[in-house]
Amino acid sequence: MRTSLLPALAAVTPVLAGFDTWAPPGPYDVRGPCPMLNTLTNHGFLPHNGRNIDQETTENALYDALNLKKTLGGFLFDFAMTTNPIANATTFSLNDLGNHNVLEHDASLSRADAYHGSVLAFNHTIFEETKSYWTDEVITLKMAADARYYRIKTSQATNPEYSMSELGDAFTYGESAAYVVLFGDKESRTVPRNWVEWLFEKEQLPQHLGWKRPAVEFVDGDLERFMGEIQNYTREIENPACESRKQRRRGRVPSHFGF
Ligand code: HEM
Ligand code: MG
């Protein structure tokens, strides 16, 4: 009797929302493949059970915690809704986001490919690989481009069922831009590495390390602009000759290097 009441109690146990409130998921709470949505849920900006999240709640959570413009929050909510398999639903749950090849994709920065294991749970080994491309105390968009690119190469080499849709590919750029310029600083286009590691590993906002809600609103065009920058860096990784030509024009690579 007591045991059967637990899920119901977990669903109604209030968790206050806010920067100073944090609780890990309980046994009846769900979480998903997005480290940021999990984090906002642990802080109570989203319902702590991770279930039945509606548009207004999503927009408010992203605005209150991250200063993300509500129209952009609504745009992301519409994507989230495509992962709920129930027809005419008006909410999604965090675990819906893990439905493979809807939004969730292979080559994640901190989760296994569906072929290898759970796409929802944090994966230490994969995150260690990602971290190896963040080669300084401050992560730049170039380092984010490297991490994204080489995680894809690793997945392609190790996953016989590797796949990446056009939408999945766009999401990989968006996610990589988001942890640098939305979670970090969109002026300098950088983010302290210890903030990002804390976010992924603890799913908690790293206020004790100096993180604060961004003072400047993150608006619709921002995401596209920074995704474009990561795409440019990716082209340079794929075609280093291009970069060498550019550097030679800037006079940094002597032309007798033969590029
Ligand atoms: C990953 C959805 C908001 C950062 C993901 C994934 C989904 C998702 C489905 C899994 C992709 C995969 O790795 O397979 C959403 C939705 C959002 C949202 C629907 C809003 C309603 C945000 C925000 C940030 C963010 C505001 C800001 C930092 C990330 C990052 C990943 C990710 C960095 C990559 C995790 C990894 O590769 O291991 N998100 N997300 N997301 N999301 Fe979100
Ligand atoms: Mg994934």
Side-chain angles (χ1 to χ4, degrees):
M1 171 69 178
R2 191 177 283 174
T3 315
S4 65
L5 275 177
L6 279 174
L9 281 176
V12 296
T13 304
V15 173
L16 295 173
F19 296 107
D20 299 330
T21 312
W22 187 89
Y28 303 104
D29 299 333
V30 296
R31 294 294 181 265
C34 175
M36 181 53 88
L37 294 186
N38 289 351
T39 298
L40 299 187
T41 304
N42 292 341
H43 278 276
F45 288 103
L46 293 170
H48 197 261
N49 65 8
R51 299 175 201 270
N52 305 323
I53 304 170
D54 65 20
Q55 176 161 357
E56 194 184 352
T57 308
T58 306
E59 290 176 3
N60 288 341
L62 294 172
Y63 175 77
D64 293 345
L66 301 172
N67 206 356
L68 185 101
K69 195 173 177 183
K70 290 194 181 179
T71 48
L72 183 49
F75 174 78
L76 294 173
F77 173 82
D78 287 343
F79 275 113
M81 285 306 299
T82 65
T83 66
N84 185 340
I86 298 168
N88 303 320
T90 54
T91 63
F92 72 99
S93 299
L94 293 182
N95 54 335
D96 292 334
L97 298 175
N99 289 332
H100 186 46
N101 280 343
V102 183
L103 302 180
E104 194 284 321
H105 52 74
D106 286 336
S108 296
L109 303 172
S110 66
R111 267 65 175 169
D113 287 2
Y115 177 81
H116 289 299
S118 167
V119 302
L120 300 182
F122 176 80
N123 183 303
H124 182 75
T125 311
I126 286 172
F127 194 53
E128 284 303 303
E129 186 196 344
T130 296
K131 287 200 282 189
S132 73
Y133 304 109
W134 298 336
T135 51
D136 207 342
E137 292 309 300
V138 164
I139 303 174
T140 61
L141 283 175
K142 164 79 173 102
M143 289 177 207
D146 283 340
R148 176 197 162 277
Y149 179 80
Y150 290 110
R151 276 291 304 127
I152 290 175
K153 289 291 155 202
T154 301
S155 270
Q156 287 172 335
T158 56
N159 178 354
E161 292 179 6
Y162 173 84
S163 69
M164 183 67 76
S165 68
E166 212 173 301
L167 181 62
D169 192 51
F171 260 73
T172 63
Y173 284 110
E175 291 150 13
S176 292
Y179 74 76
V180 182
V181 294
L182 166 55
F183 179 57
D185 178 25
K186 73 173 177 179
E187 295 305 315
S188 66
R189 300 154 151 77
T190 62
V191 62
R193 191 178 65 194
N194 61 355
W195 291 7
V196 180
E197 290 176 355
W198 192 271
L199 179 85
F200 273 85
E201 288 170 356
K202 314 279 188 205
E203 301 198 329
Q204 184 179 49
L205 295 168
Q207 297 167 97
H208 64 299
L209 299 173
W211 182 88
K212 287 191 185 67
R213 177 181 186 265
V216 182
E217 192 173 42
F218 197 88
V219 297
D220 300 57
D222 284 338
L223 195 59
E224 262 177 74
R225 186 155 53 94
F226 294 117
M227 283 166 68
E229 287 195 30
I230 296 185
Q231 272 163 342
N232 289 340
Y233 284 124
T234 304
R235 276 187 213 110
E236 288 170 8
I237 303 168
E238 282 166 344
N239 187 1
C242 243
E243 174 57 3
S244 306
R245 275 198 298 276
K246 257 174 39 192
Q247 286 188 343
R248 198 176 57 214
R249 277 203 298 277
R250 290 187 214 122
R252 291 218 299 266
V253 177
S255 52
H256 64 259
F257 276 25
F259 295 111

